[in-house]
Amino acid sequence: MSVVSARADVGLVFALGLEQASIESTTTHVERHETPDGKFRLCRLGERSLAAVVSGPGRGAAQRATETLIQAHRPRLVVSAGFAGGLSPDLKPADVVMARRIVRLAGPAVALEPTMLERFQVDGVAIGPFAEVEAIVAAAEAKRAWSERTEAVACDMESAAVAEVCIAHATPFLAIRAVTDAVDEDLPNDLAPLIEARGTARTLGAVVGSLWRRPASLKDMWNLHERAVVAAAALGRVLVQIIERL
């Protein structure tokens, strides 16, 4: 299906459906459609029109979804929104953080516009550097190494790619993430496929595979899911405030 073109005030790029769920209860006039570049949701939050896309995880998916989003909907602001791993001891699960700059895997860091950060600053939301990573950083030791190497407070896989596309199109950009895991805690390695699965069938396959390998991981999955739900709620509250300030 081709993308539906309609001007939007704000474009939101999520990797996962659970991340997008952070805004679902607060929006109205919903239209959904799917393209090869992502699952789009057109809606309204008060007087603001939104175009949200679930891209799937990773740099390439985020790039394609953001390109399609900007070309089809020409938003005044694009936000890379979702979950992040904590890299600072000052951040705990469900804390929300906004990127001041994004340290990329290749190339110089992307600095966000200071006037944008000042305009959209929300009480209780930390502001600091993000680090781009290729995959979920599960081990506490690895998270501490990323923190030391990049001086970042959080890490994710998509924000750098979204920023690059926005810069190419001269579109204002923010990155806002809710922390799901603290810097000093380990995530079970077999939960990575579950987190990264985009569709329902893939998620079910990831769950079955994980349980087959380690039945005790059911408790880990439930705890991680509960934490993600709380983080999504915190993210949604901040996104509403950001959108209302536009």
Side-chain angles (χ1 to χ4, degrees):
M1 181 184 294
S2 61
V3 68
V4 175
S5 296
R7 188 69 185 263
D9 293 313
V10 181
L12 300 165
V13 183
F14 302 98
L16 307 175
L18 183 54
E19 295 170 338
Q20 181 181 253
S22 63
I23 63 164
E24 288 184 354
S25 66
T26 58
T27 54
T28 60
H29 300 81
V30 177
E31 298 179 28
R32 295 181 176 86
H33 58 97
E34 188 167 353
T35 78
D37 298 324
K39 297 179 179 180
F40 283 80
R41 186 177 192 271
L42 309 183
C43 54
R44 297 193 67 84
L45 195 158
E47 298 181 354
R48 301 291 180 236
S49 57
L50 313 181
V53 59
V54 176
S55 66
R59 160 174 279 275
Q63 281 181 325
R64 292 188 295 272
T66 306
E67 185 72 36
T68 299
L69 174 70
I70 291 176
Q71 290 191 10
H73 302 292
R74 307 178 302 284
R76 297 158 54 195
L77 171 69
V78 169
V79 181
S80 172
F83 301 143
L87 298 182
S88 166
D90 295 329
L91 293 177
K92 61 184 183 300
D95 282 348
V96 179
V97 60
M98 183 183 299
R100 184 182 304 279
R101 71 175 186 276
I102 304 171
V103 180
R104 296 187 291 171
L105 288 167
V110 176
L112 279 80
E113 185 64 40
T115 56
M116 291 285 292
L117 298 179
E118 182 177 356
R119 177 182 178 184
F120 292 105
Q121 186 172 4
V122 174
D123 289 344
V125 174
I127 300 178
F130 283 14
E132 179 187 16
V133 292
E134 288 184 306
I136 295 168
V137 184
E141 182 178 357
K143 284 186 275 188
R144 288 190 289 268
W146 274 103
S147 176
E148 293 173 3
R149 184 161 62 248
T150 65
E151 298 183 346
V153 299
C155 61
D156 76 89
M157 296 186 285
E158 297 83 26
S159 291
V162 176
E164 290 168 6
V165 177
C166 289
I167 290 169
H169 287 275
T171 300
F173 165 81
L174 293 171
I176 302 170
R177 297 273 167 167
V179 173
T180 53
D181 51 290
V183 66
D184 58 354
E185 65 176 312
D186 293 311
L187 289 176
N189 289 328
D190 56 0
L191 291 185
L194 175 64
I195 297 171
E196 295 176 358
R198 176 174 169 181
T200 303
R202 292 183 181 180
T203 302
L204 179 59
V207 170
V208 172
S210 181
L211 292 176
W212 180 262
R213 291 188 299 273
R214 190 169 67 90
S217 65
L218 176 60
K219 181 179 179 181
D220 297 327
M221 289 182 191
W222 179 253
N223 290 338
L224 184 62
H225 175 75
E226 289 291 291
R227 186 181 295 185
V229 169
V230 174
L235 176 65
R237 289 191 291 269
V238 172
L239 289 176
V240 168
Q241 294 182 66
I242 295 292
I243 293 165
E244 289 177 341
R245 293 185 184 186
L246 187 64

